[in-house]
Amino acid sequence: MHLSHAPDAPRGDEIGFDQFLAVDIRIGTVLSAEPFPEARKPAFKLVIDFGPAIGVRKSSAQITDRYTPEELTGRQIAAVVNFPPRQIGKFMSEVLTLGFGDQAGAVILFSPDHAVPNGSRLF
């Protein structure tokens, strides 16, 4: 199934609540962010702390249009932590960083508007 990021994309297929609960979305704090020049599309390598239950994980995130490594460090972001890792070049991306497309199609990160404990789960 191909997912469209456009704001006028049709609604996805209906799922059961148990399917929603199977997707483990957590909050973590970005410990470091650096350019990922080897990636096919512009991206950053993120190291994210998801608290004691999940630990520190890495993510390749295509968020270079709206963010710099300096402004990402220390920021809380949401990610799916229970997808299988993906090899991207020589980098293993362990979580899927979440965001929404703005009017120009650039990714805007999904994050809480108040600080929450690292590892907090979306419900």
Side-chain angles (χ1 to χ4, degrees):
M1 175 166 124
H2 174 71
L3 297 177
S4 173
H5 301 297
D8 60 348
R11 185 181 79 139
D13 295 337
E14 190 171 285
I15 63 170
F17 191 67
D18 288 342
Q19 289 173 293
F20 167 74
L21 291 177
V23 180
D24 194 352
I25 299 172
R26 305 280 182 125
I27 291 296
T29 298
V30 177
L31 300 176
S32 67
E34 63 182 64
F36 187 8
E38 305 86 6
R40 283 183 302 184
K41 294 182 180 178
F44 291 130
K45 295 179 190 177
L46 305 179
V47 176
I48 309 163
D49 179 4
F50 290 98
I54 305 297
V56 174
R57 298 287 186 261
K58 297 181 287 185
S59 180
S60 171
Q62 296 173 1
I63 55 175
T64 59
D65 289 337
R66 296 283 187 253
Y67 301 98
T68 65
E70 297 77 22
E71 64 188 326
L72 290 167
T73 302
R75 181 186 180 112
Q76 286 195 303
I77 61 171
V80 176
V81 299
N82 65 333
F83 284 156
R86 288 185 60 199
Q87 188 76 40
I88 302 173
K90 295 181 180 181
F91 185 76
M92 183 64 72
S93 188
E94 301 170 306
V95 300
L96 176 66
T97 301
L98 299 175
F100 297 93
D102 67 7
Q103 288 297 101
V107 177
I108 304 300
L109 290 169
F110 182 44
S111 60
D113 58 358
H114 295 283
V116 297
N118 286 338
S120 293
R121 186 170 182 174
L122 179 74
F123 59 90

